[in-house]
């Protein structure tokens, strides 16, 4: 017998589970051990050996190794071994960098993996989907990915989209009833839902019957998603640039070799020097360092509660010029409390804060109770037409589910309505809430088998569907003066920044059809709730900081225009002349019309998820780089279309998380701002080390080229060149990737996404510093050689040390877009350590007698050092004063 042929009892028996309590912790443990985790086996990671060997596949490194071999064969053992060691160490460094990048990417993937709602030991809890086992009772809601193969035992208009499995993109309706037929394909098993398919509507409960590779998805190996490493735009630009740089470096080194040979240097010497120079000058480490900088930045973002799902988002974040953010939950706390009730034409005030159930109802300062006409039914209905649960955790009341629903549970408790009341009613049918419909309904049967419908939702949606209204004397026809009075009440609530919600009902007969289109009309309007959802504390400041940084914050909400306006005012988001548009106005506008005025709009109210796409498009047409948040399943298209799609880690659905490139772990708007600062900073840091590495390389090539043109001896020997490449280009460049942001990073406007690698004078800075570094090294060499013409090693040591020191001083210059003197050099501890260790290694190769013959060095005196420091400071200090 197949799972879909069994009824619920049979499935329960077969899997030793009760649908009332779920599995026990012990059963879960045993099953996890027996069947393993609920995971599809993805590709194996590249072997460590391969990653290591990859470090040597670079063409010039291979040429260098070949040249070294020749040197070794010719008897130059010391040089050959030294070069080999340096190349090996370089390989190890590259390997570790790559490993680090891989690891942090893997960690990221883990962090954004989905969670499942399971019933265990009688309690609903959230667990990572990987820990779901066979027999688990799971609940799925619209927007979830189904965590495993499940047999549906309860469906509330549940629909799933199974295209990943069947290729059919139309959603399939799911039911509980068992099916007698045999040999059904997956798409016909309508009481089953399969791993990784998507819930597009409604909700449901099911029992897990297969996990991991034992699911239908697991069996279709060919469909398994392969993880591809995509390159970010900057990595792409750098790869392109890399090719040009290789060409330039090769031409220049060839020039050095040709001129050198022409001037009488030995061909062999010039060849080895040339190849070493090429290896040093080609910035082969650049892409790896960029990846490391990106992934280190990503880790810093995680500490600030922003998880990047696509590395490219890190770069785009720095270009963001508009943030479109949901109001509820992102700008506000998403903790709703009913503060006012409008009923029988009267205002009731509700005391108590948050989800705490202490509080009561007051009419004109008098405490009122269950005898207040219509109050008890209104609160009871709010409790029954509800999807949330209220429970105590660590001594505090918390809500599992929609906060709007949670607020209604708390409101009912304040009148003394106990949750046990639920047992007297049976829910026959549910039409779930979604942002499009802006309402939710249930059909209820009471103990006397009487049926009725309860609908709650946005007042503008409920009022046109209401024919009657309740007052103290009972039901009467809704007249235009009633509507006017309600409109006034809604406005009054909204002006106080309260979210408005209406509730109504309709008695049903047993023969009434249970379709929402025919049911949700001719309602009896009962009353209005006004709910408070306070703004998050740090959002106002974040909005102000974004404004300083040239980034506009826009509020998008399904709430009433006045509620939105009031909250926007509290947050200082809406300027005097700023516009508020609502959904109906948006409907009447084309994207082009919207584009014309969009720069003046700060708040979009009563919008549906479809409007979001229009808003994104209009901003983009205007040339903006748009960050857009979303949580519900219908937000996914807008999130995808935006430049930076942002989803909610706590309240978001799996669908939006998958479409997004950034997940806010705390759902907080202020976290977007932190991520933008980090995004800008990472990009600036990458610019810093590009500048550092390339200026150093220009310096290295020029000193050799100038010396050859001037018919001088070689100022640097091959091992020295390689040592410079390894030591000064390695650690300090990495440490620049960890640099703090400059104070003004959020005082500048957003970066132009089209700007090239050398934009904002970077090219000038590289060339000018490079020329000076090369020149001072050569001058130092010439002066040393003139003073002591018989001792070439001495002059070469001076040149080598000057070059290294000039680079190590220049690294501090690279920290700022302004000048060497504009930042405190002691801020970046990693950089200090990197520079110190480079100096230490320099001292070792200069003073340790064992290494002196290897590196062609000799000990230097104090005078030499004073001379070297003076020379090597020139490039950075000079430009520090000129501020260019
Ligand atoms: P955003 O998160 O984009 O700011 P929102 O939460 O403000 O959106 P929705 O959740 O779409 O907007 O809610 C819009 C309106 O629908 C609310 O003002 C309220 O009147 C009504 N509503 C909200 N939640 C529910 C619910 N659970 N049941 C019935 N109606 C609801």
């Amino acid at each position: 017998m197949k799972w879909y042929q069994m009824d619920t009892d049979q499935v329960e028996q077969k899997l030793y589970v009760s649908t009332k309590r779920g599995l026990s912790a012990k059963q879960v443990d045993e099953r996890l051990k027996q069947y393993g985790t609920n995971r599809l086996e993805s590709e194996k990671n590249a072997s460590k050996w391969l990653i290591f060997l990859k470090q040597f596949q670079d063409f010039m490194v291979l040429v260098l190794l070949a040249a070294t071999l020749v040197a070794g064969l010719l008897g130059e053992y010391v040089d050959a071994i030294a070069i080999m060691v340096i190349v090996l160490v370089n390989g190890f460094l590259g390997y570790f960098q790559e490993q680090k990048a891989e690891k942090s990417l893997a960690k990221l993937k883990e962090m954004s993996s989905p969670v499942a709602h399971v019933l265990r030991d009688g309690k609903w809890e959230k667990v990572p989907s990987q820990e779901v086992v066979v027999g688990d009772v799971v609940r799925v809601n619209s927007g979830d990915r189904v965590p495993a193969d499940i047999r549906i035992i309860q469906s509330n208009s549940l629909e799933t989209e199974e295209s990943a499995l069947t290729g059919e993109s139309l959603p399939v309706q799911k039911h509980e009833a068992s099916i007698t037929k045999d040999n059904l394909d997956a798409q016909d098993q309508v009481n089953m839902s399969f791993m990784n398919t998507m819930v597009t509507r409604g909700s449901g409960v099911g029992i897990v019957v297969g996990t991991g590779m034992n699911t239908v998805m697991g069996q279709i190996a060919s469909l398994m998603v392969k993880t591809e490493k995509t390159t970010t735009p900057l990595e792409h630009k750098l790869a392109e640039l890399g090719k040009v740089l290789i060409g330039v470096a090769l031409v220049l080194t060839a020039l050095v070799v040709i001129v050198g040979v022409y001037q009488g240097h030995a061909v062999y010497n010039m060849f080895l020097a040339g190849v070493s120079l090429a290896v040093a000058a080609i910035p082969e480490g650049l892409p790896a360092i960029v990846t490391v900088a990106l992934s280190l930045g990503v880790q810093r973002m995680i500490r600030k509660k922003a998880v990047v799902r696509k590395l490219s988002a890190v770069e785009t974040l720095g270009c963001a010029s508009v943030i479109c953010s949901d109001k509820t939950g992102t700008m506000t706390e998403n903790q709703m409390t009913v503060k006012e009730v409008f009923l029988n034409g009267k205002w009731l005030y509700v005391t108590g804060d948050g989800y705490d159930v202490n509080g009561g109802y007051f009419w004109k300062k008098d405490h009122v109770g269950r005898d207040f006409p219509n109050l008890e039914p209104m609160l009871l209905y709010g409790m029954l037409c509800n999807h949330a649960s209220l429970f105590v955790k660590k001594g505090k009341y918390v809500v599992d589910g929609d906060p709007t629903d949670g607020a209604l549970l708390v409101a009912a408790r304040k009148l003394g309505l106990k949750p046990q009341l639920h047992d007297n009613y049976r829910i026959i049918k549910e039409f779930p809430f979604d942002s499009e419909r802006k309402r939710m309904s249930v059909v209820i049967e009471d103990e006397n088998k009487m049926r009725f419908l309860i609908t709650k939702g946005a007042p503008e949606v409920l009022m046109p569907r209401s024919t009657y209204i309740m007052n103290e004397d009972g039901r009467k026809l809704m007249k235009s003066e009633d509507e006017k009075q309600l409109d006034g009440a809604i406005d009054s609530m909204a002006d106080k920044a309260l979210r408005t919600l209406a509730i109504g009902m309709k008695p049903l007969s047993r023969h009434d059809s249970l379709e929402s289109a025919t049911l949700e009309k001719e309602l009896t309007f009962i009353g209005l709730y006004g709910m408070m959802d306070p703004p998050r504390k740090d959002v106002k400041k974040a909005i102000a900081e974004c404004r300083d940084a040239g980034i506009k914050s826009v509020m998008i909400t399904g709430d009433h225009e006045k509620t939105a306006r009031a909250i926007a005012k509290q947050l200082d988001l809406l300027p005097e002349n700023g516009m508020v548009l609502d959904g109906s106005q948006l409907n009447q506008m084309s994207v082009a019309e919207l584009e014309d005025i969009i720069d003046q709009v700060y708040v979009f109210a009563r919008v549906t998820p479809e409007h979001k796409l229009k808003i994104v498009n209009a901003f983009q047409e205007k040339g903006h780089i748009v960050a857009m948040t979303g949580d519900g399943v219908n937000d996914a298209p807008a999130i995808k279309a935006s430049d930076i799609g942002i989803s909610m880690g706590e309240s978001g659905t799996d669908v939006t998380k998958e479409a997004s490139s950034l997940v806010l772990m705390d759902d907080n708007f202020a976290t977007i701002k932190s991520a933008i600062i980090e995004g800008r900073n990472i990009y600036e840091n990458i610019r810093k080390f590009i500048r550092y590495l390339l200026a150093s390389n220009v310096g290295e090539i020029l000193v050799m080229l100038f010396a050859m043109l001037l018919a001088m001896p070689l100022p640097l020997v091959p091992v020295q060149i390689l040592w410079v490449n390894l030591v000064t280009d390695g650690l300090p460049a990495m440490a620049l990737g960890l640099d703090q942001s400059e104070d003004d990073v959020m005082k500048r406007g957003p970066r132009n996404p089209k700007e090239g690698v050398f934009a904002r004078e970077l090219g000038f800075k590289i060339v000018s510093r490079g020329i000076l570094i090369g020149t001072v090294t050569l001058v130092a060499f010439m002066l040393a050689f003139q003073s002591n013409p018989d001792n070439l090693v001495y002059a070469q040591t001076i040149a080598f040390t000057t070059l290294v020191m000039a680079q190590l001083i220049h690294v501090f210059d690279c920290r700022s877009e302004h000048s060497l003197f504009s930042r405190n050099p002691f801020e970046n501890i990693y950089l200090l350590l990197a520079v110190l260790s480079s100096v230490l290694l320099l001292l070792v190769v200069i003073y340790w007698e064992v290494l002196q013959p290897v590196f062609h060095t000799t000990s230097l005196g104090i005078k030499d050092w004073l001379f070297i420091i003076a020379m090597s400071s020139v490039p950075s200090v000079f430009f520090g004063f000129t501020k260019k």
Side-chain angles (χ1 to χ4, degrees):
M1 210 170 172
K2 303 272 174 32
W3 294 113
Y4 60 84
Q5 294 170 314
M6 299 182 193
D7 59 27
T8 306
D9 290 344
Q10 286 168 314
V11 179
E12 281 185 292
Q13 272 170 24
K14 187 137 194 228
L15 298 175
Y16 302 103
V17 61
S18 118
T19 48
K20 295 251 158 16
R21 290 194 56 76
L23 293 174
S24 67
K26 195 164 151 253
Q27 280 177 307
V28 172
D29 265 358
E30 284 167 5
R31 292 181 191 198
L32 262 181
K33 275 196 199 110
Q34 195 177 345
Y35 302 109
T37 49
N38 176 31
R39 201 168 31 179
L40 295 178
E41 279 160 28
S42 51
E43 289 175 290
K44 287 226 168 65
N45 290 335
S47 96
K48 296 194 169 175
W49 271 109
L50 270 180
I51 300 182
F52 182 65
L53 287 180
K54 225 176 77 188
Q55 311 303 322
F56 303 97
Q57 71 183 14
D58 194 46
F59 175 69
M60 281 321 290
V61 174
L62 289 180
V63 175
L64 180 65
L65 285 176
T68 321
L69 203 69
V70 176
L73 290 177
L74 292 176
E76 302 272 350
Y77 301 122
V78 181
D79 270 0
I81 292 173
I83 291 176
M84 286 283 191
V85 169
I86 291 185
V87 170
L88 263 182
V89 173
N90 219 349
F92 269 114
L93 273 186
Y95 166 78
F96 286 123
Q97 279 174 355
E98 202 157 306
Q99 281 271 299
K100 198 167 166 72
E102 289 270 318
K103 270 200 194 129
S104 47
L105 286 182
K107 209 155 108 202
L108 266 187
K109 236 166 108 194
E110 220 170 79
M111 290 194 64
S112 44
S113 74
V115 290
H117 247 92
V118 294
L119 181 70
R120 286 180 182 170
D121 287 319
K123 279 200 205 104
W124 284 104
E125 51 185 287
K126 279 184 187 168
V127 298
S129 295
Q130 293 190 355
E131 288 168 21
V132 167
V133 295
V134 168
D136 258 327
V137 178
V138 300
R139 189 166 73 205
V140 288
N141 289 311
S142 132
D144 286 352
R145 263 204 194 283
V146 178
D149 284 2
I150 58 177
R151 166 71 169 82
I152 308 287
I153 55 169
Q154 186 193 327
S155 156
N156 307 314
S157 315
L158 180 69
E159 286 180 13
T160 60
E161 194 257 318
E162 301 180 339
S163 61
L165 210 59
T166 59
E168 172 58 60
S169 61
L170 279 182
V172 188
Q173 290 190 358
K174 297 288 173 177
H175 310 281
E176 314 81 2
S178 53
I179 307 170
T180 43
K181 282 194 204 136
D182 213 348
N183 290 329
L184 287 185
D185 285 339
Q187 65 250 50
D188 297 324
Q189 301 177 18
V190 290
N191 56 16
M192 298 278 299
S193 266
F194 305 99
M195 184 181 198
N196 279 358
T197 58
M198 204 65 99
V199 181
T200 47
R201 247 196 100 206
S203 62
V205 177
I207 304 179
V208 174
V209 297
T211 59
M213 295 305 280
N214 293 325
T215 55
V216 177
M217 194 60 103
Q219 284 152 17
I220 315 174
S222 62
L223 269 178
M224 268 165 36
V225 239
K226 290 203 177 103
T227 43
E228 271 174 53
K229 183 183 177 315
T230 46
T231 49
T232 74
L234 181 68
E235 282 176 319
H236 185 71
K237 269 187 220 162
L238 283 177
E240 291 294 307
L241 175 72
K243 284 184 203 148
V244 178
L245 289 179
I246 290 179
V248 174
L250 286 180
V251 169
L252 286 178
T253 41
L255 202 65
V256 172
V257 176
I258 293 167
V259 177
V261 172
Y262 176 77
Q263 302 279 21
H265 288 279
V267 175
Y268 158 75
N269 277 346
M270 280 319 295
F271 180 65
L272 201 56
V275 176
S276 305
L277 193 57
V279 169
I282 292 169
E284 76 287 342
L286 208 52
I289 304 188
V290 170
T291 314
V292 171
L294 284 174
S295 52
L296 285 177
V298 163
Q299 282 171 19
R300 280 201 300 271
M301 285 198 191
I302 293 175
R303 267 179 253 133
K304 292 180 181 157
K305 304 223 175 316
V307 177
V308 172
R309 295 189 67 251
K310 295 175 193 143
L311 268 192
S312 54
V314 178
E315 288 169 42
T316 326
L317 268 171
C319 308
S321 57
V322 174
I323 308 173
C324 296
S325 166
D326 286 333
K327 171 180 74 66
T328 311
T330 314
M331 293 187 161
T332 64
E333 297 270 6
N334 209 11
Q335 202 191 46
M336 306 273 173
T337 316
V338 176
K339 289 283 179 188
E340 295 181 356
V341 167
F342 188 75
L343 179 70
N344 317 328
K346 293 194 170 109
W347 285 100
L348 297 183
Y349 297 94
V350 193
T351 54
D353 288 316
Y355 293 138
D356 190 353
V357 300
N358 289 312
Y361 291 80
F362 290 82
W363 180 56
K364 293 187 175 169
K365 295 193 181 152
D366 292 333
H367 188 263
V368 297
R370 291 186 175 195
D371 50 352
F372 192 87
N374 298 323
L375 182 58
E376 184 173 342
M378 172 169 174
L379 296 179
L380 174 68
Y381 295 157
M383 194 175 130
L384 294 176
C385 183
N386 202 303
H387 229 213
S389 51
L390 182 70
F391 56 94
V392 181
K393 197 172 174 185
K394 292 185 189 147
K396 264 177 81 179
Y397 278 93
V398 287
V399 163
D400 182 23
D402 185 339
T404 305
D405 285 354
L408 296 184
L409 296 181
V410 174
R413 283 288 196 82
K414 286 179 179 167
L415 197 77
L417 303 184
K418 293 265 155 40
Q420 290 82 341
L421 267 175
H422 255 290
D423 299 342
N424 304 341
Y425 302 90
R426 200 163 69 88
I427 295 176
I428 300 178
K429 181 99 189 165
E430 181 181 323
F431 306 103
F433 171 78
D434 66 48
S435 302
E436 214 99 28
R437 289 170 19 93
K438 293 198 175 18
R439 62 184 187 275
M440 164 184 179
S441 300
V442 285
V443 176
I444 303 268
E445 192 175 81
D446 68 10
E447 288 167 314
N448 306 322
K449 302 271 179 236
M450 298 294 282
R451 287 185 177 184
F452 55 97
L453 169 91
I454 308 171
T455 303
K456 70 180 203 307
E460 305 91 288
V461 175
L462 243 69
M463 278 165 58
R465 295 172 178 272
S466 303
T467 318
Y468 308 96
I469 182 164
M470 265 318 201
N471 69 9
E472 278 165 11
D473 312 318
R475 191 172 93 156
K476 60 168 199 158
L477 270 176
M478 171 110 78
K479 301 219 183 74
S480 61
E481 59 261 30
D482 296 312
E483 282 174 16
K484 250 196 214 135
Q485 193 185 34
L486 287 177
D487 284 339
I490 294 165
D491 279 356
S492 153
M493 283 180 177
D495 280 339
K496 287 175 232 156
L498 298 180
R499 152 177 282 209
T500 50
L501 185 80
I503 194 155
M505 62 87 69
K506 172 166 135 181
L508 297 177
S509 82
R510 302 206 120 254
H511 314 291
D512 278 325
S513 127
L514 295 186
E515 290 305 314
S516 81
T518 49
L519 269 183
E520 290 174 316
K521 58 184 192 190
E522 293 166 7
L523 303 173
T524 304
F525 194 96
I526 301 179
L528 286 172
Y529 297 92
M531 296 182 186
M532 160 106 132
D533 179 20
R536 285 176 183 264
K537 273 201 295 303
D538 32 4
V539 170
K540 189 171 170 180
K541 196 166 145 242
I543 289 174
E545 281 180 55
C546 285
R547 194 179 307 122
D548 287 346
I551 304 164
K552 173 178 176 181
S553 307
V554 176
M555 176 190 283
I556 298 191
T557 176
D559 266 344
H560 192 278
E561 183 227 303
K562 291 203 164 177
T563 313
R565 192 185 278 273
I567 300 237
K569 280 261 156 66
Q570 287 178 11
L571 290 172
D572 251 351
L573 175 138
L574 184 66
E576 275 306 308
N577 54 355
M579 283 172 72
V580 179
L581 276 193
D582 77 11
S584 54
Q585 291 168 300
L586 272 176
N587 283 339
Q588 286 153 17
M589 281 183 196
S590 65
V591 173
E593 282 167 329
L594 179 59
E595 200 193 312
D596 284 341
I597 53 161
I598 200 151
D599 276 337
Q600 280 90 53
V601 186
Y602 288 78
V603 177
F604 292 93
R606 279 291 185 237
V607 294
T608 60
E610 263 138 65
H611 292 130
K612 283 187 166 181
L613 193 58
K614 200 166 175 181
I615 297 170
V616 169
N617 288 340
F619 270 122
Q620 285 175 332
E621 287 294 319
K622 238 358 303 228
H624 285 288
I625 301 294
V626 189
M628 166 67 89
T629 72
D631 43 17
V633 53
N634 302 333
D635 289 338
I639 284 199
K640 264 203 193 123
S642 66
D643 301 281
I644 307 152
I646 304 175
S647 64
M648 303 297 139
E650 278 180 16
S651 63
T653 52
D654 295 341
V655 186
T656 42
K657 279 187 203 160
E658 280 164 30
S660 69
S661 41
L662 186 76
V663 186
L664 307 179
M665 283 191 315
D666 58 357
D667 295 10
N668 190 347
F669 179 87
T671 306
I672 305 176
K673 179 215 68 187
S674 313
I676 288 182
I677 298 185
E678 216 37 82
R680 286 188 175 193
N681 190 27
I682 292 171
Y683 194 85
E684 291 310 309
N685 284 351
I686 291 175
R687 271 172 63 90
K688 288 175 195 170
F689 63 66
I690 291 179
R691 173 177 159 190
Y692 172 67
L693 283 180
L694 295 190
S696 302
N697 292 355
V698 170
E700 287 157 25
I701 294 189
L702 288 187
V703 65
M704 296 292 277
L705 185 62
F706 290 160
M708 293 304 100
L709 288 173
L710 295 174
M712 304 192 61
L714 278 180
L716 299 165
V717 294
V719 263
Q720 290 172 343
I721 297 174
L722 292 171
W723 188 97
V724 173
N725 182 41
L726 175 70
V727 179
T728 43
D729 288 6
L731 286 179
M734 297 266 279
L736 274 180
L738 290 170
D739 209 15
Q740 295 85 346
S741 53
E742 256 189 298
D743 292 340
D744 62 351
V745 71
M746 283 301 266
K747 300 268 185 301
R748 311 175 200 154
R751 171 169 51 88
N752 177 357
K754 296 204 188 85
E755 79 170 32
V757 179
F758 296 128
R760 287 182 277 141
E761 299 197 328
L762 196 76
F764 170 77
K765 285 187 166 131
I766 291 171
V767 175
S768 58
R769 269 65 167 178
I771 292 178
L772 264 197
I773 291 175
T775 311
V776 293
T777 309
L778 187 75
V779 171
F781 174 70
M782 278 161 61
L783 292 177
F785 192 52
Q786 263 171 15
S787 72
N788 204 346
D790 302 328
N791 195 347
L792 181 59
V793 170
Y794 166 73
Q796 282 172 332
T797 310
I798 293 271
F800 171 56
T801 315
T802 309
L803 178 68
V804 171
M805 292 309 292
Q807 293 189 4
L808 293 181
I809 295 171
H810 176 230
V811 78
F812 291 98
D813 184 18
C814 293
R815 292 185 62 223
S816 169
E817 294 276 325
H818 311 295
S819 105
L820 173 70
F821 307 119
S822 63
R823 299 198 70 180
N824 173 0
F826 300 107
E827 255 172 354
N828 182 346
I829 182 79
Y830 303 106
L831 186 62
L832 281 185
L833 288 176
V835 168
L836 274 182
S837 48
S838 300
V839 171
L840 216 68
L841 287 171
L842 175 68
L843 295 180
V844 171
V845 292
I846 296 179
Y847 290 101
W848 192 19
E849 281 149 25
V850 179
L851 288 185
Q852 281 180 341
V854 178
F855 284 93
H856 302 251
T857 50
T858 177
S859 303
L860 298 174
I862 193 88
K863 261 209 255 63
D864 298 322
W865 275 102
L866 289 176
F867 170 67
I868 288 167
I869 303 273
M871 292 300 285
S872 54
S873 316
V874 170
S876 303
V877 172
F878 174 75
F879 288 110
F881 284 120
T882 60
K883 298 200 172 154
K884 264 283 167 200

